[in-house]
mmCIF file of all heavy atoms in Angstrom:
data_model
loop_
_atom_site.group_PDB
_atom_site.id
_atom_site.type_symbol
_atom_site.label_atom_id
_atom_site.label_comp_id
_atom_site.label_asym_id
_atom_site.label_seq_id
_atom_site.Cartn_x
_atom_site.Cartn_y
_atom_site.Cartn_z
ATOM 1 N N VAL A 23 -53.573 -172.301 12.225
ATOM 2 C CA VAL A 23 -53.304 -171.553 11.011
ATOM 3 C C VAL A 23 -54.411 -171.732 9.953
ATOM 4 O O VAL A 23 -55.070 -170.956 9.390
ATOM 5 C CB VAL A 23 -52.081 -171.996 10.315
ATOM 6 C CG1 VAL A 23 -51.876 -171.367 8.959
ATOM 7 C CG2 VAL A 23 -50.851 -171.573 11.179
ATOM 8 N N CYS A 77 -51.295 -185.457 -6.428
ATOM 9 C CA CYS A 77 -50.497 -184.315 -6.249
ATOM 10 C C CYS A 77 -51.374 -183.130 -6.177
ATOM 11 O O CYS A 77 -52.486 -183.030 -6.738
ATOM 12 C CB CYS A 77 -49.437 -184.350 -7.444
ATOM 13 S SG CYS A 77 -49.681 -182.992 -8.545
ATOM 14 N N MET A 79 -51.088 -180.253 -7.396
ATOM 15 C CA MET A 79 -51.295 -179.358 -8.597
ATOM 16 C C MET A 79 -52.439 -180.111 -9.430
ATOM 17 O O MET A 79 -53.377 -179.383 -9.807
ATOM 18 C CB MET A 79 -50.050 -179.418 -9.458
ATOM 19 C CG MET A 79 -48.901 -178.795 -8.757
ATOM 20 S SD MET A 79 -49.190 -177.110 -8.136
ATOM 21 C CE MET A 79 -49.223 -176.105 -9.655
ATOM 22 N N ARG A 93 -53.839 -164.876 -5.955
ATOM 23 C CA ARG A 93 -53.367 -163.735 -4.872
ATOM 24 C C ARG A 93 -54.099 -163.717 -3.622
ATOM 25 O O ARG A 93 -53.576 -163.783 -2.532
ATOM 26 C CB ARG A 93 -53.482 -162.428 -5.673
ATOM 27 C CG ARG A 93 -52.861 -161.230 -4.745
ATOM 28 C CD ARG A 93 -52.789 -159.904 -5.374
ATOM 29 N NE ARG A 93 -53.949 -159.740 -6.315
ATOM 30 C CZ ARG A 93 -55.222 -159.261 -5.868
ATOM 31 N NH1 ARG A 93 -55.415 -159.071 -4.513
ATOM 32 N NH2 ARG A 93 -56.218 -159.135 -6.706
#
Side-chain angles (χ1 to χ4, degrees):
V23 172
C77 110
M79 302 307 287
R93 182 175 40 76

